[in-house]
Amino acid sequence: MLVCPLYETIMTLRTAANLLSCLTARRVSNTVRALAACIRAERSGTAAVAGKPHTVTIEPTNLCNLHCPECPSGSGALRRREGYMDYDAFVEIVDEIAPDVVAVQLFFQGEPFLHPRIEDMISYAHRKRLFVSVSTNAHFIDEDNAERILRAGVDKLIVSLDGATEESYRSYRVGGNFSRVIGALKALHRCRCAGIGKRCELVVQCLVTRGNEPEIPRMRALARRYGAALTLKTIQVHSLEGAQRFLPRNDRYSRYVMHGDSFRPKSPLKNRCRRLWTHGVITWDGTAVPCCFDKDAAFPLGTVTGNSYWAVWSSAPYMEFRNAVLRNRRSITMCTNCTEGLRVYPRGK
């Protein structure tokens, strides 16, 4: 398996095949132009846009059923309005971006399967030949809907499971039910064994914490049991208390360096950010934000609702934010807890 820069995730042969099936000459050309513009901006120190993002994150909802302590949505720290994306607005966004974009990620904050039309969203994006990925806590996947979800055309389904036991799982996934997640994996596995959804890349994703760190070998075995790949992901924390409580002891599985009573990302915080040229993010209410680290939409760059997303993408506020990053990324608080240039998915056993 390889680390795929396009998604900062693990690429298996199935993922590669799914991505290739979504490529068109126009989409490839767009990706090349976007990356070239990014490189030119990094070298010149001045933002210019040529091309559009190869990936767009669209948030179905920012509501969640769990209360994970380091997640703004689950912990209650999220200050923006809660709600669900209007399905017709979703269709308009997809219609506009589909000719140029390779992939859509139907998750940001919140639990996607709380949206009453998430299966329709997956199906519509799939019909547009977009690579569709969804990340879920799997509490709303069961024997009744597993087949429908797979038939909708999801290319990558990421199931968050941060522990091999009920105790370790609940130490971070507060309010979660380990058995329900296992039930979802069983239902998905049975469908795929029956030939339904073989296209789908099923991934068990584990945020490595101090509590589940010793269970990584068991997590690998658990994922294999249900025909899934295992992805280990470093955890993002927002406070010293969170760092001391959750950061794993093995430095390989941490994105931070601890210095006594402080912590900082391992990344050098260079004045660059490729996400701003290659990856767009739209919240449930149609707000375009710079990246997935702007969880609270503190830097709104325009609204997509009733407007062209591509007009927002090249707008003055977007360009000014890009230039601000190129001038002094460290001055933007959100960027000081970012993984740009850092491996989020550690290799190793």
Side-chain angles (χ1 to χ4, degrees), residues 1 10 206 208-209 212-221 224 230-234 248-254 343 345-349:
M1 295 190 294
I10 300 298
C206 175
V208 182
T209 66
N212 64 27
E213 187 178 6
E215 297 180 352
I216 290 174
R218 293 176 64 184
M219 289 296 300
R220 293 190 189 283
R224 283 196 300 270
L230 177 70
T231 295
L232 303 176
K233 185 178 181 182
T234 60
R249 291 181 173 84
N250 188 335
D251 182 67
R252 172 189 296 169
Y253 301 124
S254 177
R343 181 173 292 154
Y345 299 90
R347 299 172 184 172
K349 298 180 179 180

Side-chain angles (χ1 to χ4, degrees), residues 155-167:
D155 292 281
K156 174 168 284 191
L157 186 60
I158 304 164
V159 173
S160 297
L161 184 62
D162 308 324
T165 64
E166 184 81 47
E167 181 181 4

Side-chain angles (χ1 to χ4, degrees), residues 200-314:
C200 176
E201 179 74 29
L202 182 60
V203 176
V204 170
Q205 180 171 278
C206 175
L207 284 178
V208 182
T209 66
R210 189 164 299 190
N212 64 27
E213 187 178 6
E215 297 180 352
I216 290 174
R218 293 176 64 184
M219 289 296 300
R220 293 190 189 283
L222 187 153
R224 283 196 300 270
R225 189 179 311 141
Y226 300 110
L230 177 70
T231 295
L232 303 176
K233 185 178 181 182
T234 60
I235 188 172
Q236 182 182 24
V237 295
H238 303 277
S239 66
L240 179 60
E241 179 186 2
Q244 293 172 335
R245 181 181 175 190
F246 292 112
L247 292 187
R249 291 181 173 84
N250 188 335
D251 182 67
R252 172 189 296 169
Y253 301 124
S254 177
R255 64 178 71 175
Y256 300 101
V257 175
M258 292 291 298
H259 290 289
D261 289 337
S262 65
F263 66 98
R264 63 169 179 81
K266 292 177 180 176
S267 55
L269 287 179
K270 295 180 180 180
N271 293 332
R272 68 183 190 191
C273 182
R274 296 201 171 182
R275 290 181 178 90
L276 295 175
W277 277 263
T278 63
H279 192 146
V281 180
I282 302 171
T283 64
W284 70 267
D285 61 356
T287 302
V289 297
C291 71
C292 60
F293 284 89
D294 191 7
K295 297 173 173 59
D296 227 350
F299 298 91
L301 302 175
T303 180
V304 177
T305 306
N307 298 310
S308 163
Y309 180 50
W310 296 146
V312 173
W313 179 254
S314 57

Side-chain angles (χ1 to χ4, degrees), residues 131-142:
F131 181 96
V132 184
S133 59
V134 184
S135 182
T136 174
N137 62 45
H139 281 61
F140 302 98
I141 299 176
D142 53 29

Side-chain angles (χ1 to χ4, degrees), residues 60-129:
T61 180
N62 61 349
L63 284 88
C64 190
N65 55 305
L66 302 187
H67 305 285
C68 307
E70 293 299 317
C71 172
S73 179
S75 67
L78 206 66
R79 295 186 298 273
R80 58 186 170 97
R81 284 191 309 136
E82 295 179 333
Y84 301 89
M85 177 168 277
D86 178 77
Y87 181 73
D88 290 336
F90 169 81
V91 168
E92 288 181 10
I93 293 168
V94 171
D95 284 347
E96 182 181 12
I97 68 174
D100 301 286
V101 168
V102 178
V104 291
Q105 296 182 336
L106 296 182
F107 61 95
F108 180 29
Q109 297 301 288
E111 166 51 44
F113 284 96
L114 281 172
H115 196 291
R117 300 198 66 178
I118 186 62
E119 293 169 26
D120 294 330
M121 289 177 160
I122 294 169
S123 178
Y124 191 80
H126 173 70
R127 293 199 302 273
K128 293 290 184 176
R129 283 188 64 193

